[in-house]
Amino acid sequence: MAETKVLKAQARNGVGKGAAREARRQGLVPAVIYGDKKPPVTVSVAYKDALKFIYAGGFKSHILDLDVDGTIHKVIPRDYQLDVVMDQPIHIDFLRVAKGAKINVQVPVHFENEEASPGLKRGGTLNIVHHTLDLTVSADNIPEFVTVDLTGLDIGDTVHISNIKLPKGTADHSHEADVTIATIVAPSALKSSGGDVAEEGEASAE
């Protein structure tokens, strides 16, 4: 589990589009903290900090310590909106996270031991179906990634979520039965080789 990062914020007075526009004019991104059976709190995050955290990757799968004027809120970013023209953050939703709570997150998939895959050594291609997995995890122990071992996989083999060992306390949350993560597919040259061999056989028979 990665070290919890701290994101600075400040309390925001006023709600509605007018207050949000004023915050943006001041170089701030309007945000709200909600959940854990507590009233929502409106805050603002410095634009440069919001941009840095969002584009660092994994923004919606990491717990943050949101420091609001010195008060720490343990949160996970649940959603954010980007300006459709400028591609800049214009609003963020933070969900409060209670200690020991179970939450749903998208966890990246990492692949290892490609050199130990007979299919890839023969020129096959790793066709990744899911780069992330929808998992239910403990808020205190969100895995940085899930590992898929490609050792022994040949052309035509498929990796399902049931084939891998998920981190302790982690469960599949997808709506798809036994999610397909990746397959080893044959290269086009290998696919056509059967036809080439057949043609050579017919020619020699003549």
Side-chain angles (χ1 to χ4, degrees):
M1 183 179 66
E3 180 182 353
T4 301
K5 296 181 179 180
V6 178
L7 177 61
K8 294 277 190 179
Q10 63 186 61
R12 176 165 59 95
N13 294 323
V15 294
K17 293 183 178 179
R21 281 195 295 266
E22 178 59 30
R24 295 185 192 108
R25 278 194 290 266
Q26 298 176 20
L28 302 171
V29 179
V32 62
I33 307 170
Y34 68 96
D36 197 24
K37 299 179 181 179
K38 298 176 182 176
V41 175
T42 54
V43 300
S44 296
V45 178
Y47 169 78
K48 60 180 180 61
D49 292 338
L51 199 66
K52 175 183 175 182
F53 272 70
I54 289 172
Y55 286 104
F59 185 57
K60 295 197 291 184
S61 60
H62 288 82
I63 299 292
L64 301 174
D65 281 344
L66 192 63
D67 182 348
V68 183
D69 300 326
T71 300
I72 301 297
H73 299 259
K74 186 83 60 182
V75 302
I76 185 168
R78 263 305 178 226
D79 198 12
Y80 60 87
Q81 295 174 329
L82 297 177
D83 182 277
V84 294
V85 177
M86 304 297 292
D87 200 32
Q88 297 173 344
I90 57 176
H91 193 273
I92 306 174
D93 291 340
F94 294 105
L95 174 68
R96 293 188 187 93
V97 178
K99 185 175 178 60
K102 291 283 187 178
I103 58 175
N104 302 322
V105 295
Q106 294 282 332
V107 177
V109 179
H110 286 191
F111 297 88
E112 65 177 17
N113 296 326
E114 294 187 17
E115 72 285 353
S117 163
L120 295 180
K121 290 173 74 172
R122 291 169 58 202
T125 301
L126 178 64
N127 177 40
I128 302 175
V129 180
H130 285 94
H131 290 271
T132 62
L133 295 176
D134 189 8
L135 303 177
T136 299
V137 303
S138 170
D140 303 322
N141 191 30
I142 301 176
E144 280 292 291
F145 54 85
V146 171
T147 300
V148 172
D149 188 350
L150 299 174
T151 300
L153 295 184
D154 209 338
I155 291 172
D157 286 344
T158 299
V159 180
H160 296 281
I161 195 168
S162 61
N163 301 134
I164 65 173
K165 184 178 181 181
L166 294 175
K168 186 177 180 180
T170 300
D172 177 23
H173 183 67
S174 69
H175 300 291
E176 180 183 342
D178 204 8
V179 175
T180 297
I181 300 174
T183 59
I184 306 292
V185 296
S188 55
L190 188 60
K191 291 178 183 176
S192 62
S193 63
D196 296 338
V197 171
E199 290 173 5
E200 290 174 4
E202 290 172 2
S204 61
E206 293 175 357

